Amino acid sequence: MSHRPERVTAGGPPGTSGLTLNSSAPRRALQGWDRHWFGPVAAIRPYLVRKVVLCLLALDVWLLRIPRGGRYGAGGFDVAHFQWLDGLQPLPTPDVFIGLMLSVGVLALVCAFTEPGPWAHALLAVMYTYGWAMSLHDSFQHHYFVSLVLVLFVCFPRVTAVELSPPPVAPSGRRRRKGALSDTSPPTATAWAYKLLGVTTGILYAFTAFTKLDPEWRAGLVIMRLARPLAPVEAWVGGFGVPPSVFWGSLAMGVFAAEAVVAAGYLLTGRLDDDHRPWLRGVAWLALAAAVGFHVSAETVLRLRIGWFSYYMIGLACVYFLPSSLLWAVGGLVTRPAARSAAVWSTTSRALGSGSRALDIGVTAVGAAAGAAVVVAVGFALDLPGAATVGVVLASGLAGATVLALVLGRQQHAMKYALATAVAAVVMWAAIAQSRVRLDYYVRVGFDLQRRGHRAAAFDAYERATRYGPEGLSPEILADAFGRQSGRAEDP
Amino acid sequence: MVTTVFIVSWLVWQLALPLSYYFSEDVSDERFSWRMFSGLWLLHKTCRASVTESLVLSGAEGARSVRPLDLARTLYVSWVGALGWQRPLMEKFLRTRCRHDPSVVEVELSRTCPAADPSRLPSATLRMDCRAGTLSRSRVTP
């Protein structure tokens, strides 16, 4: 499977399925298959998809998933998504879940910073998937979707900022040979996994659009419940004689239409970068407008409690549907600083490597030790179940990998991953410390304990929550707040 | 060749798994079918579950007492709501209650969905015989 970006020549796409057929109709079908899956993609697209998703993922698991970590194994009971997993795993606990989420976030950022090999992306996919599979507490279908995305990332082409920066521009007035691309055309890549992700996303939208044909959706009952903020609009429209059923039914069908358009966009625009028919670009713009409009509405009007699903999908839509020229311009904001950092790193590494081997090893060892120390310190500073353990485990892993790298003579790689891990850990600490993660976590734990009659343990949790709450917050205030909100059947 | 096989297999999986929902007998399980905020989701939110446990009374041969279970004090809050419709949760919870107290001989879960059309989401009862380890289901037909 090709993983490096390649310049596409006039001879045709570099990758093929490897199949050959003799008769003409199947041969044409096979050629169409090869053109679709192995045709060129602007290399900036798979590069940006991976960066955007991995950075969002890190913040998502730290800021949105950790606050709910207290529910895992609460009351000594939990149910996995799969019966075989229930039989295999021990009872999930907050330590295990939170430790896993912290590790997933760090690994996601390390992958975003360093473009490691497929093994790192595979490990990330497995860890993230276990994070939701371990319990039916997490039945968000978009977490399953993110798992699919992470699996496909394993097969994405490995594109670095250095290869993409600066995005080349064809000089004006230069004559091109007929049928050949300019030497300064933007790099493309064979990215069948990127295209497969597009089709997978299209299938998702197609099925979710089909759901809108349920009788409750067609009648407007679901949208009426979800879009309560639009009740004043319903009343205003009702003044013109439009019955509520027509108002809500029309909105519901609007949702269906938007999802169907987005599905069509993902399924039809796989060859946007090498098929320049105008209608294809039109479909892409329409799909982009539908996707952004729908998901922005989901967040601002419907206020759906779906985590950051909308942001993932808006990010994907922008990368898949925007013209590559626009992506190159925006992507330059990421690739140029990244390429400059890589150049500085390369120069520094060469300078260190030109000295004695002992100096090289010493610098690597000190660097890795410093990185490990940062990771351990962050783990202990977080004050969350499982965090200290994760800090020690990650630091031990870093130390072990560094020793292995030194033995294999790959000091530069060790330093790169040590630095990336330390930076990821610091970002994690900053994100959690500057947010309500710890306050929300301990309040939820306290509420659950109080509900189940464990008042003393609940007060312990409230006391920890007050360390991260506003001035004047006390365990008594939180216990009273529980009394006011109790009776809800939903997770607060 | 390997890549093509992977692509075809992946596409088959992406189509077959959501499609299987529409051919499944258990329409309450919408996981992996991309049915987000469906009509059934709306109906499920109105479902409520109650659980009772039958115990054999010591001394009195064959005599049983039935006690209702305070779900709010037993389960995490989101499980209480989901117990009305998530079948894997219902089944495991009943098995867990059997193991929790050896004197419990039967655990019964009753599910009602007052806002739903009974033909779409009927009231149902799940009964776990703790001694035999068997589960039986019955539906309240209109």
Side-chain angles (χ1 to χ4, degrees), chain A residues 374-448:
Chain A
V374 167
V375 170
V376 170
V378 166
F380 278 90
L382 281 176
D383 187 28
L384 284 167
T389 306
V390 161
V392 170
V393 167
L394 284 179
S396 306
L398 198 54
T402 302
V403 168
L404 185 64
L406 289 173
V407 165
L408 296 174
R410 298 175 120 179
Q411 294 84 284
Q412 290 183 14
H413 290 283
M415 280 294 285
K416 179 175 75 172
Y417 289 117
L419 180 64
T421 306
V423 170
V426 170
V427 171
M428 175 174 71
W429 175 82
I432 291 176
Q434 296 302 312
S435 67
R436 293 171 50 106
V437 168
R438 291 176 291 193
L439 171 65
D440 287 347
Y441 171 78
Y442 286 112
V443 167
R444 286 172 195 273
V445 167
F447 277 7
D448 173 60

Side-chain angles (χ1 to χ4, degrees), chain A residues 87-110:
Chain A
L88 216 61
Q89 68 171 358
L91 183 72
T93 62
D95 294 63
V96 168
F97 177 76
I98 292 172
L100 186 62
M101 290 300 103
L102 294 173
S103 306
V104 163
V106 167
L107 183 55
L109 278 193
V110 169

Side-chain angles (χ1 to χ4, degrees), chain A residues 323-361:
Chain A
S324 60
S325 54
L326 208 54
L327 291 176
W328 280 115
V330 171
L333 298 173
V334 174
T335 59
R336 286 195 198 95
R340 271 198 287 273
S341 303
V344 167
W345 178 262
S346 178
T347 307
T348 310
S349 299
R350 271 200 305 274
L352 287 170
S354 64
S356 67
R357 181 164 161 77
L359 175 68
D360 200 10
I361 290 173

Side-chain angles (χ1 to χ4, degrees), chain B:
Chain B
M1 179 66 180
V2 171
T3 306
T4 296
V5 169
F6 179 88
I7 291 171
V8 171
S9 305
W10 180 276
L11 289 174
V12 168
W13 168 27
Q14 291 308 308
L15 290 169
L17 189 54
L19 273 175
S20 67
Y21 168 83
Y22 296 96
F23 298 98
S24 164
E25 284 182 8
D26 182 11
V27 295
S28 65
D29 189 353
E30 296 183 298
R31 293 175 299 156
F32 315 118
S33 61
W34 305 131
R35 290 178 56 84
M36 294 168 279
F37 297 104
S38 66
L40 204 58
W41 164 83
L42 187 67
L43 296 175
H44 278 155
K45 289 182 85 64
T46 69
C47 293
R48 293 292 176 260
S50 60
V51 177
T52 55
E53 295 176 332
S54 298
L55 303 93
V56 171
L57 293 174
S58 57
E61 193 175 301
R64 290 186 181 191
S65 79
V66 177
R67 68 184 179 201
L69 196 59
D70 185 348
L71 293 174
R73 289 178 72 91
T74 309
L75 284 172
Y76 192 83
V77 61
S78 54
W79 283 147
V80 176
L83 205 57
W85 55 273
Q86 251 182 1
R87 188 170 293 178
L89 170 61
M90 293 177 186
E91 293 181 5
K92 186 169 180 185
F93 182 64
L94 295 183
R95 289 185 204 285
T96 303
R97 292 311 301 176
C98 282
R99 284 198 298 269
H100 181 259
D101 184 348
S103 65
V104 171
V105 294
E106 186 178 89
V107 187
E108 181 177 292
L109 185 153
S110 300
R111 189 273 303 275
T112 55
C113 306
D117 179 350
S119 61
R120 195 144 143 79
L121 211 56
S123 296
T125 300
L126 258 71
R127 203 170 284 112
M128 173 68 77
D129 183 329
C130 296
R131 287 172 173 165
T134 54
L135 189 69
S136 59
R137 293 185 189 89
S138 60
R139 287 184 174 190
V140 176
T141 50

